[in-house]
Amino acid sequence: MKHLVFATNNQHKLEEVQAMVGQTFELKSLKEIGCFAEIPETGITFEENASQKSRYIFEHFKVDCFSDDSGLEVDALGGEPGVYSAHYSGSRDTETNMQLVLDNLGANTNRKARFRCVISLILDGREYFFEGSAEGEITRERSGSSGFGYDPIFRPEGYQNTFSEMSQEEKNKISHRAKAMDKLVEFLTKRASSNPQPHSV
Ligand code: ITT
């Protein structure tokens, strides 16, 4: 089975992605390769940040790896919190960040938003990008208890429930991360079938 390092410190992301690709790939966490560093994330686009994370791991550990940079874009807030989703309020506290989105939106009737995810994969020293997005809207209040981050206030288009009211399995069928991961898996699967002895870490 192909081993790939997922360069994330977010345990929820790791669990989601492990559930998506568990049959096809064995994911290794940063801890498993002995990386406990605070990887710099100073870009102003999802692409730049995803690239920074995977390149950091490749440069320091010389392993095939991927990372995702993701976030919530709210139209009426000019695309905020965007790349600053993880610490929108100045802290990484999820409740405070969600409340700030709700407060900034107030009674605005334009509640259109999307989650975006960009994956940077480094394989045999070359970098590839995969993208996914999930359209939806910001609810008036939090609802649900599963998932992470802004899931309790995001209702995907065509659904009655927030991501937080869905099972992991349901969210993983339609999420931004699932769409980007599907592209990554398709890429790796095609590559493996055209190259019977793929390089592994
Ligand atoms: P790593 O950088 O270590 O992967 P992180 O949590 O800092 O972990 P990001 O920099 O990509 O990850 O920030 C993404 C933030 O966007 C994340 O912390 C959540 O607040 C939010 N987010 C991303 N995907 C989400 C999802 O599926 N559901 C809810 N919130 C999400």
Side-chain angles (χ1 to χ4, degrees):
M1 196 185 268
K2 174 91 184 152
H3 289 219
L4 267 183
V5 174
F6 183 16
T8 182
N9 283 310
N10 183 324
Q11 187 61 26
H12 297 283
K13 279 189 189 176
L14 187 66
E15 282 163 19
E16 270 191 15
V17 170
Q18 184 67 73
M20 289 173 203
V21 301
Q23 308 293 320
T24 327
F25 302 104
E26 196 179 315
L27 293 185
K28 283 195 175 184
S29 66
L30 290 179
K31 277 188 201 130
E32 284 174 281
I33 61 164
C35 176
F36 300 94
E38 187 67 42
I39 303 173
E41 250 183 271
T42 54
I44 55 164
T45 63
F46 292 118
E47 286 79 2
E48 282 172 355
N49 282 337
S51 196
Q52 252 185 332
K53 292 186 251 188
S54 59
R55 282 171 187 233
Y56 180 96
I57 295 305
F58 183 71
E59 279 158 21
H60 289 79
F61 295 87
K62 300 282 177 270
V63 290
D64 291 342
C65 63
F66 69 97
S67 71
D68 107 358
D69 199 58
S70 45
L72 179 69
E73 291 178 345
V74 181
D75 284 358
L77 302 181
E80 284 184 5
V83 289
Y84 307 108
S85 293
H87 40 79
Y88 187 40
S89 63
S91 95
R92 290 189 71 95
D93 183 68
T94 302
E95 292 302 317
T96 317
N97 289 332
M98 263 193 297
Q99 193 55 49
L100 188 58
V101 169
L102 291 176
D103 289 347
N104 286 348
L105 257 186
N108 202 318
T109 51
N110 176 11
R111 308 194 72 86
K112 216 170 148 34
R114 76 204 48 78
F115 271 120
R116 284 189 58 213
C117 171
V118 175
I119 291 173
S120 156
L121 166 72
I122 299 192
L123 195 65
D124 299 335
R126 285 194 59 187
E127 185 172 20
Y128 306 86
F129 289 96
F130 307 91
E131 274 196 63
S133 62
E135 295 290 330
E137 60 179 23
I138 302 300
T139 53
R140 302 261 166 192
E141 53 194 38
R142 300 169 176 74
S143 206
S145 55
S146 67
F148 69 100
Y150 299 89
D151 281 346
I153 59 167
F154 182 81
R155 185 189 297 122
E157 213 166 73
Y159 290 81
Q160 300 299 319
N161 294 333
T162 64
F163 267 171
S164 230
E165 293 171 305
M166 295 180 172
S167 63
Q168 187 187 65
E169 205 186 352
E170 265 183 296
K171 180 186 169 189
N172 280 357
K173 283 184 190 149
I174 57 172
S175 81
H176 48 307
R177 189 165 298 101
K179 288 174 187 163
M181 281 303 299
D182 281 352
K183 293 178 191 169
L184 178 145
V185 169
E186 193 190 338
F187 171 83
L188 290 175
T189 309
K190 273 194 190 148
R191 201 181 143 104
S193 61
S194 62
N195 174 12
Q197 286 182 314
H199 168 83
S200 66
V201 297

